[in-house]
Amino acid sequence: MVIFNDGVAETETPDSSTVETDVLIVGSGPAGSSAALFLSSLGIPNIMITKYRWTANTPRAHITNQRTMEIFRDLGIEDQVLAEATPHHMIGDTVFCTSIAGEEIGRILTWGNHPSRHADYELASPSLNCDIPQTYLEPILVKNATIRGTQSQFSTEYLSHTQDGEGVNVRVLNRLLGTEYTIRVKYLIGADGARSKVAADLQLPYEGQMDVAGSMNITFKADIADLVGHRPSVLYWVVQPGSNIGGIGAGLVRMVRPWNEWLIVWGFDINEGVPEVSEEDARQVVRNLIGVPDLEVDITGISLWGNNDMYAQHMQSGRVFIAGDAAHRHPPSNGLGSNTSIQDSYNLAWKLAAVLNGQAGDELLETYSIERAPVARQVVTRANQSGREFGKLFEALGIDKAESPEEMNALIESRKDSTPEGAAKRAAIQEAMDIKNYEFNAHGVELGQHYRSTAVIGDGTTRPQPSRDPELYYEPSTFPGVRLPHAWVGDNLHKYSTHDLAPYGQFTLFTGTNGGDWATAAENVSGRLGITIKTVVIGPGQEITDLYFDWARQREVAEDGAVLVRPDKHIGWRSHALPPDPELTLHAALAAILSRSE
C-alpha cells in the first residue's frame, strides 16, 4: 500500500516500511534547517531528520553577517530574525581587559560599527548584521521550513545509506520506538555537524586536523549591566593567567542576551586530557573573568569541545552532499560557522531544484562542491589564523613567555610605565590590536566570495585587482561569479534593493533603457528552456529607476548590456553591450550555466 502525504510517499509491506521523498536532510542545525527551508520554498518535497528531540540547546553560533541576513530577507524571514536578535549597533564595542570589572587593555569597534567602516556596511547591503544565538535562530528556520512543507522528524537517527543510479536508500532509527526503517530519496544532504556520520560514510577527502586545542563553554546567568551596558558588545576578551592555553586565543565572556545571559569560553590543554569541570569550578571561572569575587552566578550549562582546523576538499559523492560543519570545521573566530553553513545550503538548494524539475543537467550539481569547497578552505584558514593572531597581543604585552601568574600580571601592568620600554610596549599593543580587525571587521571575507565553475560563464575580461585589502574590504562588482551588488532603486513611491528584484528560484536579467530587446530575448529563452527569467530594466520612464545613480556606478556594463543573476544572487554571466542576436547569446549562456546540451 502506498500513502501520499504532503509530497511524501510511504510504502508499507508486512515486514518493513519505506518512505519516499525527493531530498533527505540529516541534521537540523543552521545548514540542515536552512536547506529544508530553501527546498520547501522552491516546492521540493523533503524530509529533515535529527537524532535530537529538538533544536540546539546551547547558544553556540550567534554572529549573523550581512550575507546571511540578505538570504533571510530573500526568504521573507528577516523580520522574524531581527525580532529575536541583538541589533547591529549593540554588538560592536569589543573589549579587551584583565577582567570585566578590571582594567581595559583597549577596545575595537567591530562588525562595521566604527564610523570609518560603517559606511562600507551600509553601502554594501540592504541588511545589517546582528547577533542571534543558535538557540533562537534554529527554531525560526525549522518553523518556517515545516510551515512551507518540510517533514521535520526529531528523535530520528541516521544509520547508513547506499546509493544507486536512481536514488539513495537511507536507513534511519526512530529513537522513541527503537525501530528502523528506510527513506528512499533522490538526493541526500549530510548536515550532521563536525562529527558527521554521513561524511564519514562517504570517505570524502579532508585537509587538516581535528581537536587542535581544547575549550570549555560555561553558560550562566548574572546581571552585570552596570559593567557592560555603557560599552555594549557581544564579545569581551579577558587576558588572565591561563588565557593563552588552549581555547580560541584568549578567555571570552560572550553576551547571549543583554545583559544577564552569558557564555564563557575558556581553554584547557588538550594534550593533558579532558578535565572534569564541576559546577563550582565553573562558578570560579566565571567570577575570575568577571572580576567580582562574590558575584551571584546561576550556572546553566558546562560543555567541553575541541577546536578544529579541517575542511573538505570535495563536498559530494554521487547523489550525496555535505554542508555546514560537516564540510568546514573550525573555531568560532570571525563568526563564520553558521553563516557559511547557511550559504552552503543556499547554493545547493536551487541547483537541486533545477535538476529535480528537469530544468538543468545533472552536471550542475557538481558545481556545488567546486564553488563551495574553496569557501570552506578560506573560512577554516581565516578562523584559525584569527585565533593565532591573539599571540601578537600576548607578545606585545610580553606575557607569552611568563612563567608564573605573578610575572604575567606584572608584565601586563608594565604597559603603564613612563619609560621608553613602556612606550614601545604601548605601540606594540596598538599594532597587535589593529591586526584583530581581520577577525572582527573582515567584510571582504563575508561578502567577497567569488565562484568559478561551469555555472559561471566568463565574459572574456580579467577581474581587476582589488584596490584595498580583500579580506578587510568588500568591493562591489558584476564580474561573473561574484555576489550581485546592492543598490537602492525604485520610483517616487517605492525603494528596493537590487537584491529584492532578484528573488530566489529564478534567474534575473538586469539591463538599462537601451537594452529593452533583452526583455524579449529573456521571454523567448524562458519558454525554450522551461525556466523563469525575470527582466529588470532600470532607467527613467521605466518601472524601476536608478534613484541615487548607484547602479550605474556598479553595473560595469553599458546601458544596453545585461547582467544575468543566478537564483543565489551570484552573477552567472554578463554582456557588456547588446549583441546582434541577444536571444541566441542569452540562450547559450543559460544553457551552459544549467549544463543543458540544447
Side-chain angles (χ1 to χ4, degrees), residues 298-358:
D298 178 14
I299 301 295
T300 58
I302 303 167
S303 59
L304 280 72
W305 51 281
N307 293 283
N308 303 316
D309 185 359
M310 178 178 282
Y311 57 88
Q313 296 171 306
H314 198 69
M315 297 166 61
Q316 174 191 11
S317 178
R319 292 176 172 268
V320 185
F321 307 83
I322 59 169
D325 289 354
H328 30 87
R329 307 167 182 184
H330 54 88
S333 309
N334 287 77
L336 295 169
S338 63
N339 293 288
T340 307
S341 300
I342 291 164
Q343 292 157 31
D344 285 346
S345 296
Y346 192 63
N347 180 293
L348 176 59
W350 78 265
K351 296 174 179 177
L352 284 170
V355 172
L356 285 165
N357 290 330

Coordinates of all heavy atoms in Angstrom, one line a residue, residues 298-358:
D298 N 24.3 31.9 38.3 CA 23.5 30.7 38.1 C 24.1 30.0 36.9 O 23.9 30.4 35.7 CB 22.0 31.2 37.8 CG 21.1 29.9 37.5 OD1 21.6 28.8 37.8 OD2 20.0 30.2 37.0
I299 N 24.8 28.9 37.2 CA 25.4 28.1 36.1 C 24.3 27.3 35.4 O 23.6 26.5 36.0 CB 26.5 27.2 36.6 CG1 27.6 28.0 37.3 CG2 27.1 26.3 35.5 CD1 28.4 28.9 36.5
T300 N 24.2 27.5 34.1 CA 23.1 26.8 33.4 C 23.6 25.7 32.4 O 22.8 24.9 31.9 CB 22.3 27.8 32.5 OG1 23.2 28.5 31.6 CG2 21.6 28.8 33.4
G301 N 25.0 25.6 32.3 CA 25.5 24.5 31.4 C 27.0 24.5 31.4 O 27.6 25.6 31.5
I302 N 27.6 23.4 31.2 CA 29.0 23.2 31.0 C 29.2 22.2 29.9 O 28.7 21.1 29.9 CB 29.7 22.7 32.3 CG1 29.4 23.6 33.5 CG2 31.2 22.5 32.2 CD1 29.7 23.0 34.9
S303 N 30.1 22.5 29.0 CA 30.4 21.6 27.9 C 31.8 21.8 27.5 O 32.4 22.9 27.5 CB 29.5 21.7 26.7 OG 29.5 23.0 26.2
L304 N 32.5 20.7 27.1 CA 33.9 20.7 26.6 C 33.9 20.3 25.2 O 33.2 19.4 24.8 CB 34.8 19.8 27.5 CG 35.2 20.4 28.9 CD1 34.0 20.4 29.8 CD2 36.3 19.5 29.5
W305 N 34.8 20.9 24.4 CA 34.8 20.7 23.0 C 36.2 20.9 22.5 O 37.1 21.6 23.1 CB 33.8 21.5 22.2 CG 33.8 23.0 22.5 CD1 33.3 23.6 23.6 CD2 34.4 24.0 21.7 NE1 33.5 25.0 23.6 CE2 34.2 25.3 22.4 CE3 35.1 24.0 20.5 CZ2 34.6 26.5 21.9 CZ3 35.5 25.3 20.0 CH2 35.3 26.5 20.7
G306 N 36.5 20.4 21.3 CA 37.8 20.6 20.6 C 37.7 21.6 19.5 O 36.7 21.6 18.7
N307 N 38.7 22.4 19.4 CA 38.9 23.3 18.3 C 39.4 22.6 17.1 O 40.4 21.8 17.2 CB 39.8 24.5 18.6 CG 39.2 25.4 19.7 OD1 38.3 26.2 19.4 ND2 39.7 25.2 20.9
N308 N 38.8 22.8 15.9 CA 39.2 22.0 14.7 C 39.8 22.9 13.7 O 39.6 24.1 13.6 CB 38.0 21.3 14.1 CG 37.3 20.4 15.1 OD1 38.0 19.7 15.8 ND2 36.0 20.5 15.2
D309 N 40.6 22.3 12.8 CA 41.3 23.0 11.7 C 41.2 22.1 10.5 O 42.2 21.5 10.1 CB 42.7 23.4 12.1 CG 43.4 24.2 11.0 OD1 42.8 24.5 10.0 OD2 44.6 24.6 11.2
M310 N 40.0 21.9 9.9 CA 39.8 20.9 8.9 C 38.7 21.3 8.0 O 37.7 21.8 8.4 CB 39.5 19.5 9.5 CG 39.2 18.4 8.6 SD 38.9 16.8 9.4 CE 40.5 16.3 9.8
Y311 N 38.9 21.0 6.7 CA 37.9 21.3 5.7 C 37.9 20.2 4.6 O 38.9 19.5 4.4 CB 38.2 22.7 5.0 CG 39.5 22.8 4.3 CD1 39.7 22.4 3.0 CD2 40.6 23.3 5.0 CE1 40.9 22.5 2.4 CE2 41.9 23.4 4.4 CZ 42.0 23.0 3.1 OH 43.2 23.1 2.5
A312 N 36.7 20.0 4.0 CA 36.6 19.0 3.0 C 37.1 19.5 1.7 O 36.8 20.7 1.3 CB 35.1 18.6 2.8
Q313 N 37.9 18.7 1.0 CA 38.4 19.1 -0.3 C 37.4 18.9 -1.4 O 37.4 19.5 -2.5 CB 39.7 18.3 -0.6 CG 40.8 18.6 0.3 CD 42.0 17.7 0.2 OE1 41.8 16.5 0.2 NE2 43.2 18.3 0.0
H314 N 36.4 18.1 -1.1 CA 35.2 17.8 -2.0 C 34.0 17.6 -1.2 O 34.1 16.9 -0.1 CB 35.5 16.7 -3.0 CG 34.6 16.7 -4.2 ND1 34.7 17.6 -5.2 CD2 33.6 15.9 -4.5 CE1 33.8 17.4 -6.1 NE2 33.1 16.3 -5.7
M315 N 32.8 18.0 -1.6 CA 31.7 18.0 -0.7 C 30.5 17.2 -1.3 O 29.4 17.4 -1.0 CB 31.2 19.5 -0.5 CG 32.2 20.3 0.3 SD 32.0 22.1 0.3 CE 30.4 22.2 1.1
Q316 N 30.9 16.3 -2.2 CA 29.8 15.5 -2.9 C 30.4 14.2 -3.3 O 31.5 14.0 -3.7 CB 29.3 16.2 -4.1 CG 28.3 15.4 -5.0 CD 28.0 16.1 -6.3 OE1 28.7 17.0 -6.7 NE2 27.0 15.6 -7.0
S317 N 29.5 13.1 -3.2 CA 29.8 11.8 -3.8 C 28.5 11.3 -4.4 O 27.6 10.9 -3.7 CB 30.4 10.9 -2.8 OG 30.6 9.6 -3.3
G318 N 28.4 11.4 -5.7 CA 27.2 10.9 -6.4 C 26.0 11.8 -6.0 O 26.0 13.0 -6.2
R319 N 25.0 11.1 -5.4 CA 23.8 11.8 -5.0 C 23.8 12.3 -3.6 O 22.7 12.7 -3.1 CB 22.6 10.8 -5.2 CG 22.3 10.5 -6.7 CD 21.2 9.5 -6.9 NE 20.9 9.4 -8.3 CZ 19.9 10.1 -8.9 NH1 19.2 10.9 -8.2 NH2 19.7 9.9 -10.2
V320 N 24.9 12.2 -3.0 CA 25.0 12.6 -1.6 C 26.0 13.8 -1.4 O 27.1 13.9 -2.0 CB 25.5 11.5 -0.7 CG1 25.5 11.8 0.8 CG2 24.7 10.2 -0.9
F321 N 25.5 14.8 -0.6 CA 26.2 16.1 -0.4 C 26.4 16.3 1.1 O 25.7 15.8 1.9 CB 25.5 17.2 -1.0 CG 25.0 17.1 -2.4 CD1 23.9 16.4 -2.7 CD2 25.8 17.6 -3.4 CE1 23.5 16.2 -4.0 CE2 25.4 17.5 -4.8 CZ 24.2 16.8 -5.1
I322 N 27.5 17.1 1.4 CA 27.6 17.5 2.8 C 27.6 19.0 2.8 O 27.9 19.7 1.8 CB 28.9 17.0 3.5 CG1 30.1 17.5 2.7 CG2 28.9 15.5 3.6 CD1 31.4 17.2 3.4
A323 N 27.1 19.6 3.9 CA 27.0 21.0 4.1 C 27.3 21.4 5.5 O 27.1 20.6 6.5 CB 25.7 21.5 3.7
G324 N 27.7 22.6 5.8 CA 27.9 23.1 7.1 C 29.1 22.6 7.8 O 30.1 22.3 7.1
D325 N 29.0 22.4 9.1 CA 30.2 21.9 9.8 C 30.7 20.6 9.4 O 31.9 20.2 9.7 CB 29.9 21.8 11.3 CG 29.7 23.2 12.0 OD1 30.0 24.2 11.3 OD2 29.4 23.3 13.2
A326 N 29.9 19.8 8.7 CA 30.4 18.5 8.1 C 31.5 18.8 7.1 O 32.4 17.9 6.9 CB 29.2 17.8 7.5
A327 N 31.5 20.0 6.5 CA 32.4 20.3 5.5 C 33.5 21.2 6.0 O 34.7 21.1 5.5 CB 31.7 21.0 4.3
H328 N 33.2 22.1 6.9 CA 34.2 23.1 7.4 C 34.2 23.1 8.9 O 33.2 23.5 9.5 CB 34.0 24.5 6.8 CG 32.6 24.8 6.4 ND1 31.7 25.4 7.4 CD2 31.9 24.7 5.3 CE1 30.5 25.5 6.8 NE2 30.6 25.1 5.5
R329 N 35.3 22.7 9.5 CA 35.4 22.5 10.9 C 36.4 23.4 11.5 O 37.6 23.3 11.2 CB 35.7 21.0 11.2 CG 34.7 20.1 10.5 CD 35.2 18.7 10.4 NE 34.2 17.8 9.7 CZ 34.3 16.5 9.5 NH1 35.3 15.9 10.1 NH2 33.4 15.9 8.8
H330 N 36.0 24.4 12.3 CA 36.9 25.5 12.7 C 36.4 26.1 14.0 O 35.2 26.0 14.3 CB 37.0 26.5 11.6 CG 35.7 27.1 11.1 ND1 35.1 28.2 11.7 CD2 34.9 26.7 10.1 CE1 34.0 28.4 11.1 NE2 33.8 27.5 10.1
P331 N 37.2 26.9 14.7 CA 36.7 27.6 15.8 C 35.8 28.7 15.5 O 35.7 29.1 14.3 CB 38.0 28.1 16.5 CG 39.0 28.2 15.4 CD 38.6 27.1 14.4
P332 N 35.1 29.3 16.4 CA 34.1 30.4 16.1 C 34.6 31.7 15.7 O 33.8 32.6 15.5 CB 33.3 30.4 17.4 CG 34.2 30.0 18.5 CD 35.1 29.0 17.9
S333 N 35.9 31.9 15.7 CA 36.5 33.2 15.3 C 36.0 33.7 14.0 O 35.7 32.9 13.1 CB 38.0 33.0 15.2 OG 38.6 32.4 16.3
N334 N 35.8 35.0 13.9 CA 35.2 35.7 12.7 C 33.7 35.4 12.6 O 33.1 36.1 11.7 CB 35.9 35.2 11.4 CG 37.3 35.8 11.2 OD1 38.2 35.3 11.9 ND2 37.4 36.8 10.4
G335 N 33.1 34.6 13.4 CA 31.7 34.4 13.3 C 31.2 33.8 11.9 O 30.2 34.2 11.4
L336 N 32.0 32.9 11.4 CA 31.8 32.4 10.0 C 31.0 31.1 10.0 O 30.6 30.7 8.9 CB 33.2 32.2 9.3 CG 34.0 33.5 9.1 CD1 35.4 33.2 8.6 CD2 33.3 34.4 8.1
G337 N 30.9 30.4 11.1 CA 30.4 29.0 11.0 C 29.0 28.9 10.5 O 28.7 28.3 9.5
S338 N 28.0 29.4 11.2 CA 26.6 29.2 10.8 C 26.4 30.0 9.5 O 25.6 29.6 8.7 CB 25.7 29.7 11.9 OG 25.8 31.1 12.2
N339 N 27.0 31.1 9.3 CA 26.8 31.9 8.1 C 27.3 31.1 6.9 O 26.5 31.0 5.9 CB 27.7 33.2 8.2 CG 27.1 34.1 9.2 OD1 26.1 34.7 9.1 ND2 27.8 34.3 10.3
T340 N 28.4 30.5 6.9 CA 28.9 29.7 5.8 C 28.0 28.5 5.6 O 27.8 28.1 4.5 CB 30.4 29.3 6.1 OG1 31.2 30.4 6.3 CG2 30.9 28.5 4.9
S341 N 27.5 27.9 6.7 CA 26.7 26.7 6.6 C 25.4 27.1 5.9 O 24.9 26.3 5.0 CB 26.3 26.2 8.0 OG 27.5 25.9 8.7
I342 N 24.7 28.2 6.2 CA 23.5 28.6 5.6 C 23.8 28.9 4.1 O 23.0 28.6 3.2 CB 22.9 29.8 6.3 CG1 22.4 29.3 7.7 CG2 21.8 30.5 5.5 CD1 22.1 30.4 8.7
Q343 N 24.9 29.5 3.8 CA 25.2 29.9 2.5 C 25.6 28.7 1.6 O 25.3 28.7 0.4 CB 26.4 30.9 2.5 CG 25.9 32.3 3.1 CD 27.1 33.1 3.6 OE1 28.2 33.0 3.1 NE2 26.8 33.9 4.6
D344 N 26.1 27.6 2.2 CA 26.3 26.3 1.5 C 24.9 25.9 1.0 O 24.8 25.5 -0.2 CB 26.8 25.2 2.5 CG 28.2 25.3 2.8 OD1 29.0 26.1 2.1 OD2 28.7 24.7 3.8
S345 N 23.9 25.8 1.9 CA 22.6 25.3 1.5 C 21.9 26.2 0.5 O 21.2 25.7 -0.4 CB 21.8 25.2 2.8 OG 22.3 24.2 3.7
Y346 N 22.2 27.5 0.6 CA 21.6 28.4 -0.4 C 22.1 28.2 -1.8 O 21.4 28.3 -2.8 CB 21.9 29.8 0.1 CG 21.2 31.0 -0.6 CD1 19.8 31.1 -0.5 CD2 21.9 32.0 -1.3 CE1 19.2 32.2 -1.0 CE2 21.3 33.0 -1.8 CZ 19.9 33.2 -1.7 OH 19.2 34.2 -2.3
N347 N 23.4 27.8 -1.9 CA 24.0 27.5 -3.1 C 23.4 26.1 -3.7 O 23.1 26.0 -4.9 CB 25.5 27.4 -3.0 CG 26.2 27.0 -4.2 OD1 26.1 25.9 -4.8 ND2 27.0 28.0 -4.8
L348 N 23.3 25.2 -2.8 CA 22.9 23.8 -3.2 C 21.4 23.7 -3.6 O 21.1 23.0 -4.5 CB 23.3 22.8 -2.1 CG 22.9 21.3 -2.4 CD1 23.5 20.8 -3.6 CD2 23.3 20.5 -1.1
A349 N 20.6 24.3 -2.8 CA 19.1 24.0 -2.9 C 18.6 24.4 -4.3 O 17.8 23.7 -4.9 CB 18.4 24.8 -1.8
W350 N 19.0 25.6 -4.8 CA 18.4 26.0 -6.1 C 18.9 25.0 -7.2 O 18.1 24.8 -8.2 CB 18.7 27.4 -6.5 CG 20.1 27.7 -6.9 CD1 21.2 28.2 -6.2 CD2 20.6 27.7 -8.3 NE1 22.3 28.4 -7.0 CE2 21.9 28.1 -8.3 CE3 20.0 27.4 -9.5 CZ2 22.7 28.2 -9.4 CZ3 20.8 27.4 -10.7 CH2 22.1 27.9 -10.6
K351 N 20.1 24.5 -7.1 CA 20.6 23.6 -8.1 C 19.9 22.2 -8.0 O 19.5 21.6 -9.1 CB 22.1 23.4 -7.9 CG 22.9 24.7 -8.1 CD 24.4 24.5 -7.7 CE 25.1 25.8 -8.0 NZ 26.5 25.8 -7.6
L352 N 19.6 21.7 -6.8 CA 18.8 20.5 -6.7 C 17.4 20.7 -7.3 O 16.9 19.9 -8.0 CB 18.7 20.1 -5.2 CG 19.9 19.5 -4.6 CD1 19.7 19.4 -3.1 CD2 20.2 18.1 -5.1
A353 N 16.8 21.9 -7.0 CA 15.5 22.1 -7.5 C 15.5 22.2 -9.1 O 14.6 21.6 -9.7 CB 15.0 23.5 -7.0
A354 N 16.5 22.8 -9.6 CA 16.6 22.9 -11.1 C 16.8 21.5 -11.7 O 16.1 21.2 -12.8 CB 17.8 23.8 -11.5
V355 N 17.6 20.6 -11.1 CA 17.7 19.3 -11.7 C 16.5 18.5 -11.5 O 16.0 17.8 -12.4 CB 18.9 18.6 -11.0 CG1 19.0 17.1 -11.4 CG2 20.2 19.3 -11.4
L356 N 15.9 18.5 -10.3 CA 14.7 17.8 -10.0 C 13.5 18.2 -10.9 O 12.6 17.4 -11.2 CB 14.3 17.9 -8.5 CG 15.2 17.1 -7.6 CD1 15.0 17.6 -6.1 CD2 14.9 15.6 -7.7
N357 N 13.5 19.5 -11.2 CA 12.4 20.0 -12.1 C 12.7 19.8 -13.6 O 11.9 20.3 -14.4 CB 12.1 21.5 -11.8 CG 11.5 21.7 -10.4 OD1 10.7 20.8 -9.9 ND2 11.8 22.8 -9.8
G358 N 13.8 19.2 -13.9 CA 14.1 18.9 -15.3 C 14.6 20.2 -16.0 O 14.6 20.2 -17.3

